Amino acid sequence: MTKPSLPELLHAAVTAVGGTERPGQVAMAEAVEEAIDGGSHLLVQAGTGTGKSLGYLVPALAHGERVVVATATLALQRQLVERDLPRTVDALHPLLRRRPEFAMLKGRSNYLCLHRLHEGVPQDEEEGLFDQFEAAAPTSRLGQDLLRMRDWADETETGDRDDLTPGVSDRAWSQVSVSSRECLGASKCAYGAECFAETARERAKLSEVVVTNHALLAIDAIEGAPVLPQHEVLIVDEAHELVSRVTGVATGELTPGQVNRAVRRAAKLVNEKAADQLQTAAEGFERLMELALPGRLEEIPEDLGYALMALRDACRTVISAIGTTRDKSVQDEDAVRKQALASVESVHDVAERITNGSEWDVVWYERHEPRGGAAYRPSGASLRVAPMSVSGLLREKLFTDRSVVLTSATLKLGGDFNGVGASLGLAPEGTEGDDVPQWKGVDVGSPFDYRRQGILYVAKHLARPARDGDRGDMLDELTELIQAAGGRTLGLFSSMRAAQLAAEELRSRIPEYPILLQGEETLGELIKNFAADPRTCLFGTLSLWQGVDVPGPSCQLVVMDKIPFPRPDDPLMSARQKAVEEAGGNGFMAVAATHAALLMAQGAGRLVRASGDRGVVAVLDQRLATARYGSYLKASLPDFWFTTDRNQVRKSLAAIDAKAQQTEAAGPGESAEQPQGD
């Protein structure tokens, strides 16, 4: 039988998901096929609505080798596993004469641990385990979450936290999950044969397509011990997020609470001398953390250095002692010992990394306020260490022995792919060399007519924003824009404080337009309520710049309060900028401007999500029109019609609002053509 062509396969897949082929999708599929066949690497920018998931899945499945697809968000993982892959596999089966298997794989802590669930959680203060279900008050939020998870454990087939709806807090989930370090191992665990994490791994080993997240991809690259099955093709979707996710995985943190927890867990499992040594070291570290001032530590202060060395050495002693001391009186000793060892090793590794003082690491001290909700964090101080850059790590670990495709709606910054390529460890496109990964950048465009569907407005008349300064003129402008738009506004702010101040002020100025504020409800609830009422506005910060997908009349005005440069006192960003300057480069453009361009491109992308969408992206920062770097930032945004005429923008918003109101009054008719995913 003749091998089916790529156009045949793509047509079958697109038809199966109820879509229509688009030129950009075809161009993307052809570029992906060429990269996989040639064993080369590809960066492909595919605008919203291109249908890029099919653009890479079809050529990858046709090739017949194992593929790992890594994404940044749960929404895309679900779309791939629950919608795109099942339909695509069914559609291609008659043509390929095979039915590729696919599976989802995440880090171990994302799966329910049956040992924890049935045997209990290792206790910090006493030997043995305690029953977390009895310990938590049944009427408390924690108690209710635990009881719900116990019932869910009997029903779930995956044990995957993301399949539990509604979700639970981090604190509750920690009671029924383990990290890879804490895990007893399938051969030593009484529940090994039923383990959800082990089942997911086995399923992945037998699958042709494995869908995972950026964090697990980073762990696979950093830790040496492979957690992903061997694969010939790697596809990184939402690739604009990859560098920050890898940096997060490679960042170590040390807090007094974490150290004291390690002390408590190890105390009953080692001899008195080793326990006292760790206790003394912990007390010394905690005293210094109370005195330190926030900021980057270019050199570790002498007293902190001694405290960290004492902590490192004490941890090393305890690790050796845990391996030789046994206590039969401790209930489920292996599990208790494993958790204690994991805690002490974590402290040891970060303390050692900081004391070793690599020139490629950035160390800083920060003090943080308490945070509630799902991402609970107590107040206190922490010492953090992160790599200056992950580009070398990515070049070495990602771009060898496989073909890599990286795709996103925002990879082309300032008109080319070299900025993003450099952050991934790639030399400028076209560079030759024996050890230089060869890659190509392709922009397949978007099915949307940005110049007809959107306006980019810069409020050139506003005063230049000063850091943390009063911006009464900006709030006046924002008020007038929202009134012209009839609500329908997504407000993207450069800090949470700015979002809170704007929400508070505008709630009193224009009470007829409800203002939703990030943090007051879950992100999912906020987006749901924002989409439901066109007169509503939604204000927030970083996750809103990238996480809102609301096609239609509820989002017709996207406002950015100012260009989102990193804060000057951001330890990691400022260190990276300084390193570029010391190497003779332009640190501001390479780090700060690239960071801002990526966020602005993502933020502007919230406006046009379907072919019927119309609206305005308003940047309330004159620098986009007046500063030298403004042209670089504008070149990173969709090709909207550009203006600084405030009166024209108000007229346009009023006209868009009037048309939307007419449509709403007429009731549901034929819906606008929807994009095939991002």
Side-chain angles (χ1 to χ4, degrees), residues 54-91:
L54 293 189
Y56 59 70
L57 284 178
V58 171
L61 288 168
H63 198 68
E65 296 183 303
R66 180 180 279 131
V67 181
V68 167
V69 180
T71 78
T73 62
L74 172 62
L76 183 53
Q77 288 169 37
R78 284 196 179 284
Q79 179 189 313
L80 288 170
V81 173
E82 296 176 6
R83 178 177 180 268
D84 293 346
L85 275 165
R87 295 182 186 183
T88 304
V89 166
D90 285 346

Side-chain angles (χ1 to χ4, degrees), residues 397-610:
K397 301 292 187 180
L398 230 57
F399 297 98
T400 54
D401 303 324
R402 57 186 166 189
S403 178
V404 182
V405 174
L406 300 109
T407 183
S408 167
T410 49
L411 288 180
K412 195 174 179 182
L413 302 180
D416 62 46
F417 291 91
N418 288 330
V420 170
S423 71
L424 297 166
L426 298 171
E429 186 176 1
T431 303
E432 300 288 340
D434 293 338
D435 297 323
V436 178
Q438 296 301 301
W439 64 281
K440 183 168 76 170
V442 175
D443 181 0
V444 300
S446 167
F448 303 140
D449 185 347
Y450 285 120
R451 289 190 72 79
R452 185 175 62 85
Q453 291 182 249
I455 297 170
L456 173 63
Y457 163 60
V458 178
K460 191 177 177 182
H461 61 283
L462 296 181
R464 187 183 177 101
R467 183 182 170 189
D468 297 332
D470 177 44
R471 296 198 68 196
D473 60 344
M474 184 274 287
L475 292 173
D476 293 340
E477 181 78 9
L478 179 57
T479 302
E480 292 176 17
L481 288 170
I482 290 173
Q483 289 174 319
R488 312 180 192 276
T489 301
L490 176 65
L492 305 176
F493 292 83
S494 52
S495 71
M496 201 61 228
R497 180 174 177 271
Q500 290 165 343
L501 288 173
E504 182 180 335
E505 178 68 22
L506 268 67
R507 280 170 175 167
S508 62
R509 288 192 189 193
I510 44 174
E512 64 272 27
Y513 299 109
I515 308 286
L516 304 176
L517 178 63
Q518 186 178 5
E520 293 183 347
E521 294 180 70
T522 66
L523 186 57
E525 283 296 310
L526 288 171
I527 294 173
K528 178 183 173 183
N529 294 335
F530 176 54
D533 180 4
R535 293 177 64 81
T536 297
C537 304
L538 172 57
F539 288 4
T541 182
L542 193 59
S543 57
L544 294 191
W545 289 71
Q546 310 181 84
V548 175
D549 185 6
V550 180
S554 289
C555 184
Q556 295 187 327
L557 172 62
V558 174
V559 178
M560 304 180 200
D561 70 326
K562 64 180 180 181
I563 297 171
F565 292 122
R567 290 177 64 91
D569 58 359
D570 182 302
L572 190 53
M573 288 294 190
S574 59
R576 288 175 172 173
Q577 192 165 320
K578 182 179 178 182
V580 172
E581 290 164 357
E582 289 176 347
N586 186 327
F588 172 78
M589 291 302 296
V591 179
T594 298
H595 171 87
L598 190 56
L599 270 180
M600 291 187 77
Q602 283 289 309
R606 303 308 98 198
L607 181 70
V608 177
R609 310 299 294 178

